[in-house]
Each structure stands twice: as C-alpha cells, then as structure tokens.
Amino acid sequence: MKEGTYLFQRDQQMMSRKDIEALQLKLMKAQVRHAYDNVPMYRKRLDSAGIDPAKIKKLEDIAKVPFTKKDDLRDHYPYGIRAVPLDRIKRLHASSGTTGIPTVVSYTSHDLDRWADLMARCYSCAGVEQTDIVQNAYGYGLFTGGLGFHMGAERLGALVIPTATGNTKRQIKMMKDMRTSVLCCTPSYSLYIIEELAEEGLSPSDLDLRIGMFGAEPWSDETRKIIEDKLDIAAQDLYGMSELYGPGVAVECPEQNGLHIWSDEFLVETINPDTGEVLSPGEKGEIVFTMLTREAMPLLRYRTRDLAVIEYEKCSCGRSHPRIMRIKGRSDDMLIVGGVNVFPSQIEDILMRMDELGEQYQIVLETDRLDHISVKVEVSPNHWVKADMKELTKKVEESLIASLTLRAKVELLAPGTIPRSEGKAKRVIDLRKRI
Ligand SMILES: [Zn+2]
C-alpha cells in the first residue's frame, strides 16, 4: 500500500490482532446478552444448554453457544429472528427459499449504517478511492447485492451509477461515456461484458476501468486471470451472504491472497461440519460466524455451509483481520452454479412433479471458464412416443428457472437409458476441476 493512501475507517482496517481480540470479547459478551434478553429462541437454547450470558468470560467461550442454522431463519418466517420491536426495523431483504419459504433478514438503522461502513471498507481495502466512478451492475431489490454495493460506494464517497443488471449494451455505453473506473457485478457477468465489448470492437483502452468488485458466486483463479487480462483491471473477490447483512463480510486486498474478514463485526470459527467440533487455526472446515453488533437479527454461531481455511497470520498488506483462503466446497450437497445455490433434491422435486418425465435423471456439472449445469432426464414410457420433445425440453427448462432461478441445459432421454444402480444412485456428476 502506498504511504498516505486514503483508507475508509483506516483505524478499523489496520487494527492489531490484540486490539481486534479485545474488542471482539467486549462486543461478543454484549451480543450474547442482547440475543438472550430479546430473542426467545436464543433464551430457550442458552437456557437448555445451561449457559448464563454472564459467565461468558473469554473469546473461546463462544464454543459453548449452540449453532444457528439457515432453517432457524425459515422457522421464524416472516420477520425472522427478531430482537427489536417492528417499528425499529427499517428494511427487509429476502433470498429465495429452498422450500418455498424465503429467508428474510431485517435491519435497524444501526444495522444499515454498519453494513454501509463494512461495504465501504471493502471498496477501500480493494483499492477503490473516493474519486472513483463506480458502476453497480448487481441486481437491486430483495437481493442484498444491489443495495449493499450501492450504499458502500456512497458511504466511501465515490460517484455511483446504479445501472443494475442486464442491458449490456447500455452498461457498456455508460461505462464508456461516464468513464466508469470500478465495475461491480458477478464474475460471470463480467465475462459476458467482455464478449459484448469485443463484438462492439472496443478494447480496454477505450474504457477507464481499473478495478472490478466481483462476488456472489465462486470463481477460479483462471477466470480471474482472464477477466484481469481482457478488461485490464484488478479483479477483487468479495464474500458475503444475505444472512450476514449481504456483501461486505470479507474482501481481498491488493495482495489477492485471501479475503480479509472484518472481524470487529464477524467473529469467525472453523468447525468440523459433521461433529460441530471447533478446529484449530489452519485446519479446513465449515466457517461459522457470530455477528458482533447486529441489532435487529442477532446471529450467534451461524453455520455458513462453506468450507475453507482461515489464515490468521498478518497479511503483507499490513492488515491483521483474518483471511478466508479460497472456498473449497460446501459442507453438504449444495451445488453452486452461476451464482445460484441449489440442492439436487430441489431439482429432483421439480422433475418428479412432471408426469411426462420418468424417475431417472442425472445432474452434470461442467466447467470451461464458468460452471454449467445440465439435467439429463428420462421421459416416462407413456409420453416417449407422443410428447413433443422440443416443447417438453422448454417446459422443464422454464420450470427450473421459475422455481429455482436455475439456468440448466435440459436433455431428454429415452426410457431406460440412464444406467441403473443397485446401490446409491449417482445423481450428480461433477466434472468441474477444482483447485
Ligand atoms: Zn491483505
């Protein structure tokens, strides 16, 4: 980092390990107390685990607290795990549910303010400055991406152009005419922009882009290289999820060697996903976060299902906030394709609901630069002769989009084509190469 570079909340970004831990302890005690006093679910759980919030004395004591899972949020639909009266909730976001019940997250004024700060820190840590022109091509709406990136850029003091998703020609026109210097979108959308630029005969030198803020889906280092090369930018990775405010949990610094977790808000642990046992630093496991200042919806030990190694060594950028090294996979069967999280059982649900289809199917995951999913499914013997295959293919593809927002290539097969198994059927064939 250049000497004298402006950093948003420099003190918080550059806190020492010792100061981080002292602050975490203070905030964690208060947050466990807040959850216990104001959320019946937490009071009940802590009581049955025999935990008195007053007896939480050191950071390691967090391990005594029961986990919170995504199902807990759904079980508390519509207003979620709420610790404040409704008149103090100032915004809701929601993500599409795996069971039809959306996961709703709520924010007080403090929470929105804090989220904006954390996102502004992400921009700043990634190298974005107040003088930058930020084009935000994330979706605005119930999804946390659009407003999260928007608020953060405004908080930093940059100029924000809220183009939202889609209309790529207009994105490029704005980018060119407004001299956009920072592009926020999913990595896959940036690849699409690259194709469109080539089609229009434009090169990076026709643009002023210098940084890309890319999150919301896992992407490989190879994809990063392509994006950096074709757009002539630094492509920075971000991590977040709507349950944890949204984007803004962790971000890469210019070293691009892991994502710094803002650990004065997110107390991180790594656990064995099968036993729940806390692992030592450096061991790969499921990452679990306790939010330290959240008012509306306290989350104690929230299980992310993401598997990663957390690096606690100070980064060469000078920051001591621990880093998430590349996420290696999910702790269960969840598939992540093109920014959509989906369980094979959900795909199965949709296929099995259609009379025209048989029971045998396979989900094939492949990757070139991006992940692709195809669903191969047998047509039921009754429909094999008479069904219009083109129309049926379209119907299945549209059902997957409508219910799961999943864009899959559907291939219909004759009855009896998929190899039968005597043991557990191999439903998911993952041909993606993972580093
Ligand atoms: Zn760093």
Side-chain angles (χ1 to χ4, degrees), residues 189-244:
Y189 191 57
S190 78
L191 289 170
Y192 188 67
I193 289 175
I194 288 167
E195 281 175 12
E196 191 65 37
L197 280 171
E199 217 158 90
E200 292 185 23
L202 294 170
S203 74
S205 59
D206 296 312
L207 304 172
D208 290 83
L209 283 183
R210 61 182 204 93
I211 294 176
M213 300 287 280
F214 299 127
E217 65 187 10
W219 45 310
S220 64
D221 282 332
E222 273 168 62
T223 306
R224 188 213 298 269
K225 272 186 227 125
I226 291 164
I227 298 172
E228 293 197 327
D229 183 45
K230 297 265 165 90
L231 287 177
D232 192 18
I233 56 171
Q236 304 298 115
D237 196 4
L238 284 96
Y239 177 84
M241 58 177 65
S242 62
E243 300 94 305
L244 307 168

Side-chain angles (χ1 to χ4, degrees), residues 47-192:
D47 280 345
S48 24
I51 297 153
D52 176 355
K55 299 243 168 71
I56 301 266
K57 298 282 185 206
K58 50 186 194 301
L59 273 179
E60 295 73 38
D61 289 343
I62 194 69
K64 297 175 187 164
V65 173
F67 294 114
T68 309
K69 294 182 177 172
K70 192 164 183 155
D71 280 344
D72 294 322
L73 273 68
R74 284 197 212 102
D75 292 346
H76 290 77
Y77 183 82
Y79 277 107
I81 298 166
R82 185 157 56 91
V84 299
L86 199 53
D87 63 4
R88 290 197 54 213
I89 305 277
K90 300 302 170 194
R91 195 191 301 160
L92 287 181
H93 280 282
S95 55
S96 56
T98 50
T99 55
I101 302 173
T103 307
V104 179
V105 289
S106 55
Y107 308 74
T108 62
S109 305
H110 158 275
D111 297 336
L112 291 170
D113 193 50
R114 178 73 160 162
W115 183 20
D117 278 347
L118 294 167
M119 257 319 285
R121 264 196 233 170
C122 285
Y123 280 107
S124 173
C125 176
V128 179
E129 294 176 20
Q130 289 173 307
T131 46
D132 273 301
I133 299 172
V134 176
Q135 187 161 327
N136 183 14
Y138 280 103
Y140 284 68
L142 282 175
F143 170 58
T144 51
L147 283 165
F149 277 88
H150 185 104
M151 291 186 310
E154 279 190 347
R155 179 62 54 93
L156 175 70
L159 191 168
V160 194
I161 309 176
T163 48
T165 47
N167 202 338
T168 311
K169 283 196 188 323
R170 193 184 61 185
Q171 298 275 6
I172 290 172
K173 182 168 171 46
M174 294 299 275
M175 226 181 273
K176 195 163 162 276
D177 295 351
M178 304 302 155
R179 301 191 310 279
T180 299
S181 54
V182 176
L183 174 64
C184 306
C185 65
T186 58
S188 51
Y189 191 57
S190 78
L191 289 170
Y192 188 67

Side-chain angles (χ1 to χ4, degrees), residues 1-7 10 13-14 254-255 316-319:
M1 195 189 323
K2 279 180 288 181
E3 277 302 312
T5 308
Y6 169 78
L7 286 182
R10 172 182 284 272
Q13 287 200 47
M14 306 310 290
E255 300 292 322
S316 36
C317 72
R319 290 178 184 84

